[in-house]
Amino acid sequence: MEYRLFDKSQQEVSRLGVGTWGMGKRLWVGADDAESKRVLHRAIDEGINFFDSALVYGMGHSERLLGEVEKESGKELFITTKIPSKKFEWPAKDSSTLEESFPTDYIIQTTERSLRNLKRDYIDLQQFHVWNDRWAQRDEWKEAVYRLKKEGKVRFFGISMNDHQPTNGIEAGKTGLIDSFQVIFNIFDQSPADVLFPFCLQNNISVIARVPFDEGGLTGTVTPQTTFPKKDFRSRYFRGERKEELWRRVQKIKETVSTETETLAEAALRFIISFEAVTTVIPGVRKSEHLLANIRAVEKGPLSPELVAKLAQHRWQRNFYE
């Protein structure tokens, strides 16, 4: 497993991490706690130390699973979580104020709640789960960051960018208080490479790439005939004619990557780690076979510069979360 330094520190994190949204169960159908824990333990055994969660993933469920597995493993993991907006909105609306979304006391109290779930004295990386850069110069959020770091409850602080808004956080990054940005980055949404990645490289801010498979679209397993349970958020994400358009585009990507990769999923992960600015990529996994496939893909290393350049033609500007 390859490791990268996190932010400006000497902390090493695995280039491949694990996202635990699906383990929270609330919006994903089919998660099983016993299997989730087996996957987490296997990930640790394979050298992965970066695990991403959020308070709203099952309202603490994935945090509690992570905390249990860390204790059982006897290993020190790099665990991240997120503070939801007090208004529980994704993305943060332009009309929402900082007082409504992230008041100082709320940031601190929510962090303490996550600490209890994780059964930890500190969180490696705490993140705002949404953001609006109009708040960047306000003192209230800065005060919370200072206090949590000073009290040793948080080591690093970051922003989980609003969906498909990779520059809505750069002003906060200029304050020097932001250690990382978590952002959607994949073969379809390549926009973070335009402005955000150069900014992060210049300022030594870590990048956590999320949604590498476009919620399953870039695994090649979603066809025009695929159906999802009504309670599964993907039934909405891939609603209407979206699956047909996705399928047409995926077939073209498969042709593009066929000479260098064995599967579309492999290409999706290797594309992301081809960018120097990316510290770690966090595909969500709930099954051991998917975890091992992800590990094999990342261990093959970046794609060739020629293939990365060819994949630029497959950018697809859209927002299926809306």
Side-chain angles (χ1 to χ4, degrees):
M1 181 61 61
E2 182 187 357
Y3 297 86
R4 289 292 183 92
L5 293 179
F6 189 83
D7 188 57
K8 307 168 189 67
S9 73
Q10 294 304 305
Q11 170 72 57
E12 289 190 332
V13 297
S14 51
R15 198 78 194 279
L16 176 67
V18 172
T20 64
W21 182 18
M23 294 179 183
K25 293 184 175 181
R26 290 193 76 185
L27 295 176
W28 291 76
V29 173
D32 173 78
D33 285 352
E35 177 64 14
S36 294
K37 291 182 73 172
R38 281 194 292 272
V39 169
L40 293 172
H41 276 293
R42 183 62 183 269
I44 295 168
D45 291 342
E46 295 289 336
I48 293 173
N49 69 352
F50 192 100
F51 295 86
D52 180 74
S53 189
L55 180 62
V56 296
Y57 294 172
M59 292 313 296
H61 190 74
S62 78
E63 289 180 332
R64 288 188 286 272
L65 281 178
L66 266 178
E68 291 171 11
V69 168
E70 183 180 39
K71 294 294 186 295
E72 291 166 3
S73 72
K75 302 282 183 66
E76 274 193 27
L77 309 178
F78 191 98
I79 293 180
T80 86
T81 192
K82 308 178 194 75
I83 307 166
S85 161
K86 193 173 183 180
K87 294 181 69 177
F88 268 64
E89 61 180 13
W90 285 271
K93 297 177 182 176
D94 285 341
S95 59
S96 296
T97 66
L98 182 64
E99 290 83 359
E100 293 172 322
S101 304
F102 293 107
T104 303
D105 289 345
Y106 171 76
I107 294 171
I108 293 169
Q109 291 164 8
T110 305
T111 298
E112 291 172 342
R113 183 175 173 185
S114 289
L115 285 169
R116 290 192 293 272
N117 288 336
L118 291 164
K119 293 182 173 58
R120 271 178 149 223
D121 297 322
Y122 67 91
I123 294 168
D124 291 290
L125 170 66
Q126 179 62 291
Q127 304 159 96
F128 294 107
H129 207 153
V130 293
W131 186 252
N132 190 313
D133 240 4
R134 293 187 304 106
W135 307 330
Q137 301 309 317
R138 295 289 299 275
D139 290 335
E140 293 88 342
W141 71 270
K142 298 176 187 178
E143 178 187 344
V145 172
Y146 282 126
R147 284 175 56 182
L148 288 168
K149 286 188 174 182
K150 182 179 179 180
E151 293 171 4
K153 295 178 180 178
V154 169
R155 296 179 63 200
F156 304 101
F157 226 99
I159 293 173
S160 182
M161 299 277 210
N162 296 341
D163 298 332
H164 307 297
Q165 295 182 25
T167 59
N168 190 357
I170 286 180
E171 290 304 312
K174 292 177 181 177
T175 67
L177 292 177
I178 299 302
D179 301 301
S180 67
F181 290 115
Q182 184 176 140
V183 64
I184 293 176
F185 181 58
N186 55 47
I187 293 173
F188 288 144
D189 189 348
Q190 302 180 31
S191 58
D194 299 335
V195 176
L196 180 65
F197 286 4
F199 174 81
C200 290
L201 286 171
Q202 183 178 2
N203 292 277
N204 206 7
I205 295 173
S206 286
V207 172
I208 304 162
R210 75 175 189 265
V211 199
F213 299 131
D214 184 43
E215 308 297 8
L218 284 166
T219 63
T221 59
V222 178
T223 73
Q225 292 74 42
T226 300
T227 59
F228 298 98
K230 288 184 178 180
K231 290 184 178 180
D232 193 306
F233 98 100
R234 289 169 296 177
S235 65
R236 180 176 180 275
Y237 189 83
F238 292 115
R239 68 184 182 273
E241 302 298 315
R242 293 176 173 181
K243 291 193 292 291
E244 285 77 6
E245 176 65 14
L246 168 72
W247 182 250
R248 287 194 293 270
R249 290 175 179 270
V250 160
Q251 301 319 299
K252 293 178 181 178
I253 296 173
K254 284 182 176 179
E255 291 177 14
T256 303
V257 303
S258 61
T259 59
E260 201 169 308
T261 65
E262 295 181 24
T263 66
L264 179 61
E266 176 195 323
L269 286 178
R270 292 178 63 193
F271 171 79
I272 292 167
I273 64 168
S274 299
F275 290 78
E276 181 64 24
V278 174
T279 307
T280 187
V281 56
I282 53 168
V285 289
R286 294 180 293 173
K287 295 183 179 180
S288 297
E289 58 264 35
H290 296 158
L291 169 70
L292 296 177
N294 293 344
I295 292 171
R296 288 194 297 271
V298 170
E299 286 181 343
K300 291 183 179 181
L303 299 174
S304 68
E306 293 77 16
L307 182 51
V308 171
K310 288 179 182 178
L311 286 170
Q313 68 183 302
H314 294 289
R315 283 189 179 212
W316 184 12
Q317 186 175 350
R318 85 286 194 261
N319 189 350
F320 279 8
Y321 294 101
E322 293 181 342

